[in-house]
């Protein structure tokens, strides 16, 4: 079945869909050595944040396919439940398996390569509406570059996928080779909600007590990365780099830019490599996805947020399918947007960024 525009709202580009592996899914794409490694030693990662027990696999209760695979693991079911009925013209897959988080860097690289080959064979070649992010072992930049160089020329891959909770702020030089490779291949770098590195808490003041705190505080990780990328001079060094903040919200971004600009005016001598106001780098190089969109008590305030961002041209719609906090395309915005803004957010911005035709 081919998706069609639904509910008179037109077609949608969904910038955050999660495809999932399951035990044995990657075995055909792993060498005998790494299959045996997995059997004998298994996965060794920092756990990061755990999802609520009431939502296994962080999924909607209706997202478990009859095939027995996990939510996001069955392409045909994804077509029936999401791509077709919601009028998804294109969907960007962000596979959040444990591949990139392994403590054994070589095993991480092997799993990332297997994940990317699995995405090609099982998703991209079977469904022309789908695109994907390249899974990389992001804590080892040289190994990450190997994956980028290996898969960047495949037309199905449209970004390099990182996770928000990394070992260090993403502006640090240990990550710069990733940005050089992404810029060289013309690929955006997506930074997605989640992760957990070396026991680093999600807040600047320690570990929270509750899941609701962890889930809310993840925005702090995105904020830290934006400040780091700007202040470390990443966008000066890589002027063609584009960064997408995925599932981190965006209402916090305007006041962060205001604060950065204020401090830069007095402290600019410390960062002479910055030739412009911090907010100018953000507006030129940073995109955001909508889910989980902030919901002001007065829904019309979201229009003000878009104005403070400088307009809607860096905002891209996402559902987070099949996760429990999924945003339905018809209900994500509780306020009517001008039709031109709606078209940009729901389709045009993503098409321009990812080169979708």
């Amino acid at each position: 079945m081919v998706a069609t525009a639904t509910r008179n709202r037109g077609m949608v580009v969904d910038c955050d869909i999660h495809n999932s592996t399951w035990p044995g899914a990657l075995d055909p794409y792993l060498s005998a050595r790494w299959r045996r490694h997995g059997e004998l030693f298994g996965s060794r990662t920092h756990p990061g944040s755990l999802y609520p027990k009431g939502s296994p696999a962080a999924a909607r209760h209706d997202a478990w396919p009859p095939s027995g695979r996990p939510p996001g693991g069955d392409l045909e079911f994804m077509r029936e439940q999401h791509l077709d009925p919601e009028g998804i013209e294109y969907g960007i897959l962000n596979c959040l398996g444990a591949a990139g988080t392994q403590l054994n860097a070589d095993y991480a690289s092997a799993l990332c390569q297997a994940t990317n080959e699995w995405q090609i064979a099982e998703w991209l070649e079977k469904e022309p509406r789908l695109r994907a992010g390249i899974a990389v072992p992001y804590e080892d930049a040289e190994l990450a570059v190997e994956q980028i160089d290996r898969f960047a020329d495949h037309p199905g891959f449209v970004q390099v996928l990182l996770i928000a909770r990394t070992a260090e702020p993403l502006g640090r030089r240990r990550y710069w080779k990733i940005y050089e490779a992404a810029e060289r291949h013309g690929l955006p770098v997506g930074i997605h909600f989640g992760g957990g590195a070396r026991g680093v808490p999600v807040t600047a003041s320690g570990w929270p007590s509750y899941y609701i705190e962890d889930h809310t505080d993840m925005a702090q990780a995105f904020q830290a990365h934006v400040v780091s990328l700007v202040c470390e001079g990443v966008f000066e060094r890589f002027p063609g780099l584009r960064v997408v903040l995925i599932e981190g919200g965006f209402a916090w971004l305007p006041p962060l830019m205001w604060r950065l600009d204020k401090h830069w005016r007095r402290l600019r001598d410390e960062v002479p490599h910055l030739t412009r106001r911090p907010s100018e780098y953000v507006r030129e190089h940073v995109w955001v996805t909508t889910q989980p969109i902030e919901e002001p008590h007065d829904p019309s305030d979201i229009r003000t947020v878009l104005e403070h961002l400088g307009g809607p041209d860096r905002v891209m719609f996402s559902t987070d399918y099949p996760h429990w906090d999924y945003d339905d395309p018809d209900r994500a915005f509780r306020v009517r947007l001008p039709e031109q803004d709606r078209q940009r957010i729901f389709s045009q911005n993503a098409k321009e960024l990812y080169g979708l035709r």
Side-chain angles (χ1 to χ4, degrees):
M1 177 178 177
V2 177
T4 57
T6 63
R7 303 178 182 90
N8 299 314
R9 58 155 158 77
M11 302 290 283
V12 170
V13 177
D14 185 351
C15 292
D16 191 25
I17 299 176
H18 296 293
N19 53 335
S20 301
T21 61
W22 58 92
L26 299 182
D27 285 355
Y29 309 97
L30 288 168
S31 68
R33 177 209 170 173
W34 292 117
R35 286 198 303 272
R36 180 169 174 76
H37 181 95
E39 293 168 359
L40 291 177
F41 304 106
S43 176
R44 295 188 66 247
T45 70
H46 294 290
S49 103
L50 299 176
Y51 290 107
K53 186 177 180 180
S55 297
R60 294 164 34 177
H61 292 299
D62 66 345
W64 293 82
S67 63
R69 292 180 179 178
D74 188 310
L75 175 57
E76 186 55 38
F77 188 72
M78 182 184 289
R79 288 181 179 128
E80 295 174 2
Q81 186 176 58
H82 183 57
L83 299 180
D84 294 339
E86 298 298 350
I88 305 300
E89 184 176 9
Y90 293 101
I92 311 301
L93 299 173
N94 294 307
C95 187
L96 301 181
T101 65
Q102 296 295 315
L103 298 178
N104 181 325
D106 291 328
Y107 188 41
S109 183
L111 286 175
C112 285
Q113 181 170 325
T115 298
N116 294 326
E117 292 177 352
W118 170 78
Q119 291 195 104
I120 292 172
E122 301 298 331
W123 298 87
L124 303 179
E125 292 185 350
K126 293 182 177 181
E127 176 49 71
R129 288 172 288 186
L130 294 178
R131 303 293 187 270
I134 301 174
V136 298
Y138 46 85
E139 298 296 359
D140 189 308
E142 291 185 358
L143 292 177
V145 169
E146 289 181 7
Q147 295 303 312
I148 297 170
D149 288 342
R150 181 184 297 270
F151 292 102
D153 290 338
H154 190 286
F157 288 113
V158 294
Q159 69 184 358
V160 177
L161 182 62
L162 310 182
I163 302 300
R165 290 180 64 182
T166 47
E168 296 183 43
L170 282 171
R172 299 298 293 270
R173 297 190 182 203
R174 63 178 291 175
Y175 302 108
W176 281 19
K177 290 182 179 180
I178 297 174
Y179 308 140
E180 186 279 327
E183 182 185 51
R184 174 161 41 85
H185 288 288
L187 293 176
V189 171
I191 305 171
H192 193 284
F193 179 108
R198 300 181 183 177
V200 178
V202 70
T203 80
S205 54
W207 296 95
S209 299
Y210 301 104
Y211 175 78
I212 187 175
E213 294 180 85
D214 192 287
H215 199 69
T216 303
D217 289 340
M218 192 71 71
Q220 295 182 32
F222 286 94
Q223 293 173 38
H225 291 319
V226 170
V227 173
S228 178
L229 288 164
V230 171
C231 291
E232 295 275 4
V234 169
F235 299 126
E236 280 288 339
R237 182 64 177 265
F238 306 105
L241 181 65
R242 297 161 295 165
V243 171
V244 186
L245 308 180
I246 307 170
E247 203 176 326
F250 59 88
W252 49 263
L253 190 53
L256 182 71
M257 291 191 288
W258 301 336
R259 187 176 182 87
L260 260 177
D261 282 355
K262 173 188 174 181
H263 292 319
W264 174 77
R265 282 192 289 271
R266 294 194 174 188
L267 302 172
R268 59 194 298 175
D269 286 348
E270 185 187 21
V271 285
H273 48 275
L274 301 187
T275 61
R276 295 182 284 164
R277 291 182 302 173
S279 61
E280 294 180 41
Y281 292 105
V282 175
R283 288 198 174 100
E284 180 177 338
H285 294 275
V286 176
W287 280 251
V288 296
T289 63
T290 57
Q291 193 284 334
I293 190 171
E294 288 86 356
E295 298 182 0
H297 295 163
D298 181 349
S300 66
D301 285 343
I302 202 69
R303 295 196 192 100
T304 304
V305 173
L306 293 174
E307 291 174 6
H308 289 165
L309 280 172
D313 60 317
R314 292 295 189 267
V315 181
M316 304 187 298
F317 178 74
S318 60
T319 65
D320 194 32
Y321 177 88
H323 289 169
W324 63 270
D325 50 353
Y326 165 90
D327 274 355
D328 186 293
D330 296 301
R331 298 180 177 87
F333 283 85
R334 296 190 298 154
V335 62
R336 183 177 295 277
L337 298 172
E339 183 57 29
Q340 182 177 359
D341 291 355
R342 171 172 286 275
Q343 289 180 3
R344 290 207 67 90
I345 291 171
F346 278 79
S347 179
Q348 186 178 346
N349 291 339
K351 286 184 174 181
E352 292 175 356
L353 178 68
Y354 293 123
L356 307 174
R357 297 291 182 265

